[in-house]
């Protein structure tokens, strides 16, 4: 088949969860013998087309632009049914690229990754299409996290506008994928599109690419958190952990050290000398593998956490909040340690730092889980079934 893949993220290099998912899907589609034309927004300064040359037959990149709303259109945007975020970033160049490809090529199926790409569904001329990785959790849950009644009301209005917009977008899609059963429930409860099947295609890792980094020589009393502050939930998680959890850990483990990777956007954390910000690193696998405990103290968000799957693939035990581990078929106390209150979270971290036997057991069980359920070799056949079902 000839497949047109639309993406808001340029999927190479694979330095965040969205890019990694898209890259593996593209690789799986190509391995199945299909020809891919990729149209992607340029979401990074330098675009490396060579990295995808063996996967995609054609690669078209579109500059990412914002600030499309000005003057009276900007003032009237709150009255528009389309969310401000899409109106402000709408790309005529993306529309032109889609129309040109459909005019030049006999496309069998379109796959649009995430809402920023799927929002262009009305330009697909009725070609069978999959909305890949719908995520509703962040927008749905956010009003519940706001204390101010005024702000909570505002976020609820934003959620309803977003929900209604997504529902309308589905007029142009015949199938949908989500990364967890929780996201599927949100789709079925909130999006009135009964004729559109929703398939759970989880996030994953290529386990074989992590094996060589595994090590039993963990650095004593070391913690790691991986995640750019460009995603607000990562910053909120670290403000909570460094401000409320880390001091409790230090009372019992004075020499504990925390490494935080990713672009920190010059955002400040509570002062603590145990924290080391290393910024973006080309390969985080060695840092995770040598750490004694990996953290996922997320307080908000949807989908699933690639950071947890990577830690599991590297045999580094994880402590996560309920929200952090949401969407994963992982059992607390078996595959990871779970805690939601600051002192409980600190207790679970200290337990793993002090109990080598427990840490090893958690790491072994977690590795078995990620190998059997969250390896791309297991996930890709599930995704290809969805693709094959949409053949003309």
């Amino acid at each position: 088949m000839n497949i047109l893949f639309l993406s808001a993220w340029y999927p190479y290099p694979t330095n965040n969860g969205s890019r990694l998912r898209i890259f593996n899907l593209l690789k799986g589609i190509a391995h199945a013998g299909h020809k891919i034309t990729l149209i992607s927004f340029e979401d990074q300064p330098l675009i490396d087309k060579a990295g995808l040359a063996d996967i995609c037959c054609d690669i078209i990149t579109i500059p990412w632009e914002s600030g499309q709303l000005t003057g009276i259109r900007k003032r009237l945007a709150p009255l528009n049914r389309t969310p401000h975020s899409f109106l402000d970033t709408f790309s005529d160049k993306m529309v032109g690229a889609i129309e040109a490809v459909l005019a030049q090529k006999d496309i069998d199926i379109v796959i649009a990754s995430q809402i920023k790409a799927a929002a262009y569904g009305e330009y697909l001329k009725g070609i069978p299409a999959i909305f890949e990785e719908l995520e509703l959790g962040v927008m749905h849950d956010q009003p519940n996290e706001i204390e101010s009644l005024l702000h909570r009301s505002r976020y609820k209005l934003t959620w309803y506008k977003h929900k209604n917009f997504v529902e309308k977008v589905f007029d142009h899609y015949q199938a949908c994928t989500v990364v967890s059963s929780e996201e599927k429930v949100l789709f079925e409860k909130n999006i009135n599109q009964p004729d559109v099947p929703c398939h759970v295609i989880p996030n994953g890792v290529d386990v074989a690419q992590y094996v060589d980094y595994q090590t039993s020589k963990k650095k004593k009393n070391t913690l790691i958190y991986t995640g750019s502050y460009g995603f607000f939930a990562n910053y909120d998680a670290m403000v909570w952990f460094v401000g409320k959890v880390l001091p409790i850990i230090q009372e019992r483990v004075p020499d504990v050290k925390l490494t935080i990777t990713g672009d920190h956007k010059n955002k400040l954390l509570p002062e603590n000398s145990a924290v080391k910000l290393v910024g973006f690193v080309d390969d985080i696998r060695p840092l995770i593998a040598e750490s004694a405990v990996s953290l996922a103290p997320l307080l908000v968000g949807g989908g699933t956490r690639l950071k947890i799957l990577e830690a599991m693939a590297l045999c580094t035990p994880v402590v996560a909040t309920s929200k952090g581990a949401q969407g994963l078929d992982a059992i607390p106390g078996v595959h990871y340690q779970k805690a939601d209150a600051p002192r409980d979270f600190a207790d679970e971290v200290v337990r793993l730092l002090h109990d080598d036997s427990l840490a090893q057991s958690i790491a072994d069980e977690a590795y078995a889980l990620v190998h059997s359920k969250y390896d791309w070799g297991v996930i890709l056949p599930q995704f290809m079934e969805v693709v094959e079902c949409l053949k003309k």
Side-chain angles (χ1 to χ4, degrees):
M1 290 189 291
N2 286 323
I3 295 178
L4 173 60
F5 198 106
L6 307 179
S7 179
W9 296 86
Y10 188 76
Y12 194 86
T14 55
N15 52 21
N16 71 19
S18 292
R19 292 191 182 100
L20 191 59
R21 179 180 176 90
I22 296 165
F23 178 82
N24 279 288
L25 292 177
L26 292 173
K27 189 167 64 171
I29 294 167
H31 183 73
H34 305 301
K35 296 180 179 179
I36 305 169
T37 297
L38 172 66
I39 304 179
S40 175
F41 283 114
E42 299 173 358
D43 65 327
Q44 49 190 308
L46 299 175
I47 297 298
D48 180 4
K49 293 187 177 182
L52 298 176
D54 294 335
I55 297 174
C56 300
C57 297
D58 196 8
I59 300 171
I60 301 164
T61 58
I62 306 297
W64 175 256
E65 299 175 319
S66 60
Q68 305 304 303
L69 288 179
T70 57
I72 188 66
R73 291 182 66 232
K74 185 174 183 178
R75 290 195 292 272
L76 294 177
L79 303 177
N80 197 303
R81 292 185 177 182
T82 300
H84 179 278
S85 59
F86 183 69
L87 290 171
D88 197 49
T89 58
F90 179 81
S91 173
D92 289 323
K93 293 177 182 177
M94 173 60 84
V95 174
I98 292 171
E99 292 179 338
V101 168
L102 296 184
Q104 296 165 10
K105 298 185 179 184
D106 184 17
I107 297 296
D108 298 296
I109 290 177
V110 178
I111 301 171
S113 175
Q114 302 184 358
I115 185 60
K116 289 181 181 179
Y120 292 88
E122 65 182 287
Y123 303 101
L124 301 181
K125 299 182 178 180
I127 294 172
I130 301 170
F131 186 151
E132 208 298 293
E133 201 189 354
L134 168 68
E135 184 176 298
L136 296 172
V138 174
M139 295 290 290
H140 177 268
D141 294 347
Q142 205 165 18
N144 301 326
E145 309 296 333
I146 305 298
E147 294 184 4
S148 165
L149 179 60
L150 178 63
H151 289 162
R152 188 161 63 246
S153 299
R154 175 188 169 194
Y155 275 106
K156 282 185 177 179
L157 288 174
T158 301
W159 156 246
Y160 283 120
K161 179 182 279 193
H162 179 78
K163 177 182 77 73
N164 293 334
F165 177 66
V166 170
E167 188 171 276
K168 189 66 176 176
V169 165
F170 269 104
D171 288 344
H172 310 287
Y173 291 88
Q174 290 71 49
C176 166
T177 66
V178 293
V179 300
S180 69
S181 57
E182 287 86 349
E183 288 286 350
K184 182 175 181 177
V185 169
L186 285 175
F187 170 81
E188 293 173 344
K189 285 186 175 180
N190 294 283
I191 306 300
N192 184 26
Q193 290 285 1
D195 295 329
V196 178
C198 182
H199 307 270
V200 177
I201 306 295
N203 276 322
V205 292
D206 185 351
V207 174
Q209 299 298 316
Y210 291 77
V211 172
D212 289 344
Y213 293 87
Q214 295 173 0
T215 177
S216 59
K217 298 178 181 179
K218 304 291 187 182
K219 290 185 177 180
K220 187 177 180 180
N221 297 335
T222 55
L223 314 176
I224 190 164
Y225 184 81
T226 59
S228 168
Y229 292 173
F231 179 39
F232 73 95
N234 285 325
Y235 178 63
D236 288 350
M238 284 296 93
V239 169
W240 180 79
F241 181 83
V242 174
K244 297 184 178 182
V245 182
L246 187 56
I248 300 175
I249 297 173
Q250 288 173 302
E251 291 173 3
R252 297 161 64 185
V253 188
D255 63 339
V256 69
K257 300 295 181 183
L258 168 63
T259 296
I260 305 175
T261 72
D263 185 352
H264 304 116
K265 303 292 182 181
N266 294 319
K267 295 182 177 180
L268 299 178
L269 292 175
E271 187 76 21
N272 194 305
S273 60
V275 178
K276 181 180 181 181
L277 305 177
V278 299
F280 173 79
V281 293
D282 289 330
D283 191 344
I284 61 173
R285 289 173 293 183
L287 289 176
I288 299 173
E290 69 185 16
S291 298
V293 176
S294 181
L295 307 172
L298 279 297
L299 306 177
V300 295
T304 55
R305 314 299 168 202
L306 183 66
K307 57 175 61 67
I308 293 181
L309 297 178
E310 289 190 304
M312 289 177 168
L314 292 163
C315 295
T316 297
V318 174
V319 180
T321 55
S322 298
K323 178 61 72 172
Q326 179 178 290
L328 295 176
D329 288 339
I331 303 170
V334 177
H335 303 112
Y336 73 104
Q337 300 295 85
K338 184 180 78 170
D340 291 306
R343 184 160 295 278
D344 293 339
F345 202 99
D347 286 345
E348 295 301 337
V349 171
V350 173
R351 283 183 67 197
L352 289 174
L353 293 178
H354 285 172
D355 190 336
D356 292 341
S357 178
L358 174 63
Q360 189 63 56
S361 175
I362 293 288
D364 290 345
E365 292 290 341
Y367 179 77
L369 175 69
V370 77
H371 188 275
S372 64
K373 187 156 189 171
Y374 295 104
D375 181 71
W376 277 110
V378 176
I379 297 169
L380 283 170
Q382 303 169 30
F383 180 74
M384 292 312 302
E385 284 186 17
V386 179
V387 174
E388 296 290 338
C389 285
L390 253 69
K391 281 184 178 179
K392 289 182 181 179

